[in-house]
Amino acid sequence: MADDSEGQTAVDDAAPVSPVPLAPDVRSVSGRDLPGHTDPLTAQLSGVIGGPVGRHALVGRSRFLTPLRVILLLAVVFLALGWSTKAACLQQAPNGPDGALGLDWSGSRQYAALCYSDTVPLYGAERLNEGAFPYKKSWEDTHADGSVTPRYMEYPVLSGLYQYGAMTVAKAWDSVSWLPGALQVVLYFNVVAFGLSLAWLVTVWSTVLLAGRRVWDAALVAVSPLVVVHAFTNFDPLATAFAGGGLLAWARRRPVLAGVLLGLGGAAKLYPLLLLGPLLVLCLRAGRFGFWWRAAIAAAVAWLAVNLPIALLFPDGWREFFRLNSERGADPDSLYNVVTSFTGWGGFDGPLARGEAPTNLNAISLLLFVGVCLGIGYVGLTAARRPRVAQLCFLLVAGFLLTNKVWSPQYSLWLVPLAVLALPHRRILLAWMAIDALVWVPRMYYYLGVDNKGLPEQWFTATVVLRDLAVLALCALVIRQIYRPETDLVRRGGVDDPAGGVLDGAADAPPLWLPGWLRPRHRPVAWSQAPVPVTAG
């Protein structure tokens, strides 16, 4: 980690200065972060555009190309690259009845061209092509043994309604003769992709603002290889936008708004609600429990406001998401499937009948995650200096993915903004992102099948092991910085927690009922009374 931090004190004298006094920078108490001078990787890359910024540059005076706008432009470029990786699956051919045009997925194109996206097959599988309203429309899946299973929309409510809204727009576009035409499913994909692009830009925007003085760290969210591969694989940017907005609202000391956004995120995907856990631990330690309650109640109200109408009107459809997740086995990307792949072990439950839930797997996955939560809670309560919000949030989401029985490949997008905020070491993060993104290649060729010139399962699961080890390494580095805060780049110069909100700069004040072994390992003092020393590595 020294490659991102060495020489910090040595370059201060050589840092660019404006010839006239700069306006106060509310983002930092120690000046601007200049990666071209403090980060070796950025300094080398800057040679492409002329090298690092000079001594007499007017830093912070550009009226148009502000850091935020530059980072958003980078995000647009990488989102466009992401769309291009899916474009091969949007090609059409006269393969329908009487030569009608349809999608050309001949020869398993979706796997061979690495362009698969859940959005495309779901348009028909969820009966959106029929104009059906999610959770109301049902259909039957007939199995090889002749049994029939009733099915409904399988996504959380907000994600399902998003799909319905995108379908409505696509059908409306298709009905207008003078607009450029395409297959409805292609129009649908493009509408979905446009909305997901906006959601990811919100994710980038919120990360920029949460990064404080280290604004350029957020560029890693914009240019992540995972964006190119997975921005349009599923609907997860919706959840990352709500999660980022919720954390930003918390940082701005608006706990009710933070709760509302996290609750809405939980109505799209589960993980934004998990972020309430780290906030609970940190608020408990700082004696700011009332702020957490406001956020938690607001999150519950927001989640119920979205879910309750659907649950009352279409209870069977609303329960489908929970039913499928309880009956679902180990995902190919999960740790449990890796064990089965390399050992040939039949699993925790053995052969299951159709519709039978893997109760042992569910219980073990839950117990492991509870253990992760308890461990993170212990670290958050007992570390000598209170961890930053982003550090605990990253550890919790990473722990959830590692112990969960499902790790769909696009779930890795959840970690990107949290990792950047928790551990802003660019080389390390880029290495992890590259490994995680490359898992997509053997996954697709594993699905292609060995008989169709694909890869054996172990080639794929071996890359899953590498990804899991990379994530575990990130977790270890974050924990190291929690226990050695002098190595934390974010906290240099007396900064406490840019995303902390009411926790930023607060003294430890744990409740009296908290036992001694769960209290901080030092005398509770305000962070400003015990500043973190600045070291060169």
Side-chain angles (χ1 to χ4, degrees):
M1 299 198 308
D3 60 336
D4 286 295
S5 58
E6 62 186 1
Q8 176 71 36
T9 55
V11 300
D12 285 342
D13 294 337
V17 293
S18 174
V20 295
L22 290 173
D25 187 350
V26 298
R27 298 171 303 174
S28 170
V29 297
S30 60
R32 297 177 183 272
D33 175 49
L34 300 171
H37 288 258
T38 61
D39 178 60
L41 175 63
T42 308
Q44 294 173 17
L45 293 175
S46 67
V48 178
I49 56 173
V53 64
R55 280 182 58 85
H56 302 291
L58 293 174
V59 178
R61 294 304 183 87
S62 173
R63 294 182 179 273
F64 177 74
L65 288 178
T66 62
L68 174 59
R69 290 175 180 173
V70 171
I71 292 171
L72 289 176
L73 286 173
L74 289 173
V76 170
V77 171
F78 273 71
L79 287 167
L81 291 174
W83 184 91
S84 70
T85 64
K86 306 299 184 184
C89 281
L90 304 180
Q91 297 184 31
Q92 58 191 28
N95 53 15
D98 300 323
L101 291 176
L103 282 180
D104 183 10
W105 279 21
S106 59
S108 299
R109 178 193 295 272
Q110 69 273 30
Y111 304 135
L114 308 175
C115 63
Y116 176 80
S117 169
D118 287 333
T119 307
V120 175
L122 285 175
Y123 188 66
E126 303 286 4
R127 304 308 192 264
L128 293 167
N129 60 326
E130 301 175 9
F133 183 78
Y135 314 105
K136 178 181 180 181
K137 174 71 175 182
S138 66
W139 61 95
E140 294 181 341
D141 280 351
T142 303
H143 308 292
D145 58 3
S147 60
V148 175
T149 302
R151 291 292 311 277
Y152 297 86
M153 165 67 73
E154 63 184 73
Y155 281 83
V157 171
L158 204 58
S159 293
L161 294 179
Y162 177 76
Q163 295 175 63
Y164 179 74
M167 174 271 293
T168 302
V169 173
K171 286 186 175 295
W173 182 289
D174 190 44
S175 66
V176 180
S177 59
W178 50 269
L179 289 174
L183 296 174
Q184 268 195 20
V185 65
V186 175
L187 295 173
Y188 170 73
F189 173 84
N190 287 330
V191 172
V192 168
F194 179 77
L196 296 179
S197 297
L198 295 179
W200 190 252
L201 291 176
V202 170
T203 304
V204 174
W205 167 78
S206 62
T207 308
V208 169
L209 298 182
L210 285 166
R213 66 184 175 88
R214 295 187 59 87
V215 59
W216 289 108
D217 290 339
L220 287 175
V221 182
V223 303
S224 171
L226 286 166
V227 175
V228 177
V229 179
H230 293 311
F232 308 122
T233 298
N234 201 274
F235 309 99
D236 294 75
L238 297 177
T240 64
F242 281 116
L247 290 178
L248 180 59
W250 179 267
R252 297 295 174 88
R253 302 174 184 248
R254 301 181 66 181
V256 174
L257 178 59
V260 169
L261 293 173
L262 293 178
L264 293 175
K269 294 279 184 175
L270 172 65
Y271 99 92
L273 288 175
L274 297 179
L275 304 184
L276 290 170
L279 294 178
L280 169 62
V281 171
L282 297 176
C283 285
L284 187 66
R285 173 169 174 157
R288 303 296 178 93
F289 204 52
F291 291 94
W292 181 85
W293 268 114
R294 296 181 207 172
I297 293 173
V301 171
W303 187 87
L304 286 172
V306 173
N307 282 269
L308 194 57
I310 301 298
L312 293 176
L313 292 172
F314 315 112
D316 291 335
W318 180 78
R319 282 193 295 266
E320 182 77 349
F321 167 74
F322 301 97
R323 181 189 70 81
L324 286 176
N325 277 277
S326 66
E327 296 179 0
R328 191 171 182 176
D331 187 76
D333 277 21
S334 70
L335 178 64
Y336 312 101
N337 183 66
V338 168
V339 174
T340 300
S341 173
F342 283 107
T343 66
W345 181 45
F348 296 101
D349 297 272
L352 296 172
R354 187 179 305 281
E356 184 180 359
T359 53
N360 292 335
L361 176 61
N362 290 344
I364 291 171
S365 176
L366 177 61
L367 288 175
L368 287 176
F369 180 58
V370 169
V372 167
C373 293
L374 293 176
I376 292 172
Y378 179 82
V379 170
L381 291 173
T382 62
R385 180 166 174 180
R386 187 178 61 250
R388 293 186 288 110
V389 168
Q391 290 174 325
L392 287 197
C393 286
F394 171 79
L395 290 176
L396 185 65
V397 176
F400 173 76
L401 291 175
L402 288 167
T403 59
N404 194 29
K405 65 177 183 178
V406 177
W407 186 333
S408 296
Q410 71 276 0
Y411 288 1
S412 297
L413 288 173
W414 303 356
L415 292 174
V416 171
L418 297 176
V420 167
L421 295 172
L423 189 74
H425 291 261
R426 298 176 179 96
R427 292 183 178 182
I428 295 172
L429 291 180
L430 283 174
W432 156 64
M433 291 175 189
I435 292 171
D436 206 326
L438 288 174
V439 173
W440 184 246
V441 179
R443 182 185 179 108
M444 291 291 97
Y445 277 87
Y446 161 58
Y447 284 169
L448 193 61
V450 176
D451 295 337
N452 198 20
K453 299 183 179 180
L455 292 176
E457 182 182 19
Q458 285 74 22
W459 286 59
F460 161 56
T461 48
T463 60
V464 171
V465 172
L466 291 177
R467 181 206 60 194
D468 289 352
L469 290 175
V471 173
L472 284 171
L474 294 182
C475 292
L477 291 174
V478 171
I479 293 173
R480 177 180 180 270
Q481 289 195 353
I482 289 174
Y483 283 103
R484 294 183 60 187
E486 68 274 9
T487 65
D488 188 349
L489 299 180
V490 175
R491 283 182 152 163
R492 293 223 159 150
V495 176
D496 184 35
D497 187 356
V502 297
L503 301 168
D504 185 28
D508 288 330
L512 296 177
W513 52 263
L514 199 67
W517 59 277
L518 284 179
R519 290 177 175 272
R521 296 294 185 262
H522 71 106
R523 181 174 61 85
V525 295
W527 67 274
S528 57
Q529 295 175 297
V532 174
V534 176
T535 65

